[in-house]
Amino acid sequence: MFKQGEKVDIVTASQQFKGVFIKEEKDFLIIKLSNGYNIGIAKRNIKEQKSLGMTKEEGKEEKELKDKEAKEKPNSKLPTIAILHTGGTIASKVDYSTGAVIAQFTEEEIIKLFPELKQTANITSRLIRNMQSEMIRLAHYNIMAKAVEEEAKKGVDGVILTHGTDTLHYTAAALSFALESIGIPVILVGSQRSSDRGSTDASQNLLAAAEFIANSEFSGVAICMHEKTADENCLILPACKTRKMHTSRRDAFRPINALPIARVNVEKKKIDFIASDKHEKDKKEKEKKKLTLKLFNEKLKIGLVKPHIHMFASEILAYKDFDGLIIELLGIGHVPSMKVDEFTEENEHIIKAIAELAKKMPVAVAPQTIYGRINMNVYTPGKQLLEAGVIGNYTDMTPETAFIKLAWLLSNYEKEGKEKIKELFEKNLRGEISERSEKESFLN
Ligand code: DAS
């Protein structure tokens, strides 16, 4: 049998697999493919298997040189950037000697993984969580916000938060709300390809974020990911108006109802601001904004429901014991709400269920179309929703940002009553609601 870390070539009746042997299980061989993913191959299906030799250990002298570089003293001429890790594929690599995906989080490891960072800034780096971002809960936003506050108090010039891509846009919105009056840049960075693969987007995303922090006057929370699938530019994207729009493309993150804040070309060290609102840092000491943490109530239960054809009122009533609900409205602002023939009686129960919940909790809305603004004054179904007491008319938030904003409002303003929650939900606080719809911001 193979040794752990041995390169193998395995042929089954239908496929050929080349990778690194990780371990043998009762009926399977587990190998790691070059794309970083592990697969199990059923022994009964294996027709041929052969060794292609052991993976190369990093040369001793090469390792010593890299360690020495990583430990060099901070350069007083460069800004200091704190990198906080929460997990995801960006700060990990495959250790091909064992095949395991190993987390790389210390300064030394990060500098070895991305040595060019040292030309741009002094780097500190620490792990605050090591989790896939789809597992995140409200409590983790409080942990992240407190960690950012800790770095801000140390006087760093900016923070990079490495994060899984699946819910990166939720976290960006959450930190944008929680870190009130943050006077430094906090840039969330993920990657769609693990950092050890040739096609990784990790280093360019990280280097672009560092370049933007070091050489712009931006302050506030934002996202930095690839502009296109090609390794050319990265975009700095608005924290509350960005969404992951593709399962795997490197340019999956797109601004929604907004323009990108800036474009960064790492190679040319070029930063071009695009959107007009640049969130300039406070230059004069006296104006220095005081960071205030407004955290999340970790016990809140907020629902997110997507109305559809042939819906049932029970899908709304399922949230009757929740604290708040976001409804992703169809079109410009509708749900199945009207009995129009013998097949549509259930629709009347749906709008009644919404009105029932809206008496007990804030029921807010966002568009299923993702792009565009809600307007419930145009057609009857929209008017029925307004009569039922839902909030969020004329907003153009993504469903994810609306979810985060409602959770944050109920965490911090619940005692001020329903009217205050409605007023703040429909008011632009962190750039989450566009003052006017920019036509060029559709599918850009
Ligand atoms: N599972 C994905 C996540 O943690 C991995 C990644 O995209 O970083 O969001």
Side-chain angles (χ1 to χ4, degrees):
M1 186 37 69
F2 302 115
K3 287 196 287 308
Q4 195 173 64
E6 196 164 1
K7 290 187 285 188
V8 294
D9 178 353
I10 295 178
V11 181
T12 63
S14 55
Q15 280 183 285
Q16 180 178 20
F17 299 97
K18 285 189 180 178
V20 173
F21 178 73
I22 296 179
K23 62 181 174 181
E24 178 179 2
E25 286 179 354
K26 186 165 159 295
D27 301 325
F28 288 87
L29 294 187
I30 309 298
I31 71 166
K32 182 167 288 299
L33 302 176
S34 58
N35 63 11
Y37 290 104
N38 293 358
I39 57 154
I41 304 169
K43 289 180 186 171
R44 66 178 180 286
N45 296 339
I46 294 175
K47 301 285 176 247
E48 275 175 61
Q49 56 186 50
K50 63 177 185 276
S51 165
L52 302 173
M54 287 305 286
T55 47
K56 179 174 91 52
E57 274 290 315
E58 189 174 67
K60 192 168 167 305
E61 55 294 341
E62 181 189 342
K63 188 173 180 317
E64 274 161 12
L65 175 65
K66 280 187 178 179
D67 280 338
K68 184 173 137 314
E69 270 176 5
K71 287 196 176 73
E72 270 161 22
K73 292 244 173 309
N75 174 341
S76 57
K77 295 194 189 67
L78 291 178
T80 296
I81 297 176
I83 303 183
L84 300 176
H85 303 279
T86 68
T89 51
I90 180 158
S92 54
K93 73 170 189 174
V94 175
D95 175 348
Y96 281 101
S97 61
T98 63
V101 176
I102 45 172
Q104 308 273 307
F105 296 111
T106 66
E107 280 86 357
E108 288 77 16
E109 288 167 327
I110 283 298
I111 293 301
K112 279 167 65 179
L113 215 48
F114 310 108
E116 310 91 315
L117 272 174
K118 282 184 71 64
Q119 274 77 48
T120 305
N122 300 309
I123 299 294
T124 66
S125 167
R126 66 189 169 101
L127 173 70
I128 47 175
R129 267 300 182 279
N130 183 17
M131 63 196 289
Q132 305 98 311
S133 76
E134 58 272 34
M135 309 308 170
I136 281 176
R137 298 184 73 83
L138 294 178
H140 297 105
Y141 296 145
N142 294 341
I143 292 168
M144 293 180 206
K146 288 173 190 164
V148 170
E149 181 192 42
E150 207 179 314
E151 296 303 331
K153 282 181 175 164
K154 289 178 196 165
V156 299
D157 298 281
V159 174
I160 291 176
L161 196 90
T162 67
H163 193 289
T165 59
D166 292 3
T167 66
L168 190 147
H169 45 300
Y170 277 94
T171 300
L175 293 180
S176 190
F177 284 109
L179 298 165
E180 188 154 277
S181 301
I182 179 84
I184 57 170
V186 178
I187 311 294
L188 280 83
V189 178
S191 73
Q192 292 276 60
R193 304 276 191 285
S194 55
S195 49
D196 58 292
R197 291 176 54 201
S199 62
T200 185
D201 46 336
S203 57
Q204 181 172 306
N205 293 344
L206 205 58
L207 294 173
E211 177 66 25
F212 186 65
I213 290 172
N215 298 304
S216 87
E217 286 309 300
F218 175 82
S219 75
V221 182
I223 293 168
C224 180
M225 293 293 284
H226 266 50
E227 176 173 23
K228 296 196 175 69
T229 51
D231 265 343
E232 199 182 337
N233 298 314
C234 282
L235 288 178
I236 304 298
L237 296 158
C240 292
K241 295 191 86 62
T242 296
R243 195 169 188 270
K244 183 177 182 181
M245 297 297 279
H246 194 279
T247 53
S248 57
R249 284 174 62 116
R250 296 161 7 133
D251 58 352
F253 284 77
R254 307 319 299 172
I256 307 294
N257 295 330
L259 295 174
I261 295 168
R263 176 176 293 110
V264 181
N265 183 298
V266 174
E267 210 182 315
K268 297 176 188 141
K269 295 184 127 359
K270 195 165 173 301
I271 298 171
D272 297 307
F273 274 90
I274 301 168
S276 48
D277 175 10
K278 294 184 184 176
H279 313 265
E280 293 290 339
K281 271 183 207 161
D282 289 311
K283 293 188 182 62
K284 299 177 222 56
E285 264 320 296
K286 68 175 170 44
E287 283 173 34
K288 202 141 195 62
K289 297 184 278 188
K290 173 143 180 28
L291 170 58
T292 307
L293 285 198
K294 288 193 171 175
L295 300 176
F296 288 84
N297 169 354
E298 303 168 7
K299 294 190 173 32
L300 276 180
K301 295 170 77 177
I302 309 287
L304 175 58
V305 65
K306 183 177 189 147
H308 51 85
I309 59 103
H310 200 69
M311 186 175 197
F312 290 87
S314 55
E315 296 175 69
I316 298 290
L317 295 171
Y319 297 97
K320 63 181 173 31
D321 299 327
F322 272 49
D323 301 298
L325 178 63
I326 298 288
I327 304 181
E328 286 190 27
L329 299 184
L330 291 153
I332 200 167
H334 312 134
V335 296
S337 56
M338 296 169 74
K339 181 177 183 316
V340 296
D341 62 15
E342 68 273 34
F343 302 114
T344 49
E345 184 151 347
E346 181 66 20
N347 294 348
E348 290 180 324
H349 299 301
I350 291 171
I351 191 71
K352 282 199 189 88
I354 291 172
E356 186 185 324
L357 261 55
K359 289 190 182 65
K360 297 170 60 176
M361 69 183 79
V363 175
V365 295
Q368 273 188 36
T369 59
I370 306 297
Y371 288 92
R373 190 182 300 274
I374 292 286
N375 182 345
M376 292 181 273
N377 286 317
V378 180
Y379 300 107
T380 303
K383 293 189 170 79
Q384 288 178 299
L385 284 164
L386 288 172
E387 277 150 36
V390 308
I391 63 175
N393 206 15
Y394 303 124
T395 58
D396 69 339
M397 289 180 269
T398 60
E400 293 81 8
T401 294
F403 177 94
I404 292 291
K405 184 172 184 179
L406 185 58
W408 181 76
L409 288 174
L410 286 172
S411 302
N412 292 282
Y413 298 93
E414 207 253 342
K415 291 188 180 48
E416 299 189 36
K418 279 179 75 166
E419 277 317 304
K420 186 69 177 171
I421 297 287
K422 173 177 178 353
E423 176 210 326
L424 292 175
F425 187 85
E426 295 173 351
K427 183 180 174 198
N428 178 38
L429 304 174
R430 299 284 195 279
E432 76 281 9
I433 299 172
S434 321
E435 303 304 335
R436 54 179 170 62
S437 303
E438 317 230 8
K439 61 182 183 319
E440 62 275 14
S441 65
F442 180 56
L443 292 179
N444 67 357

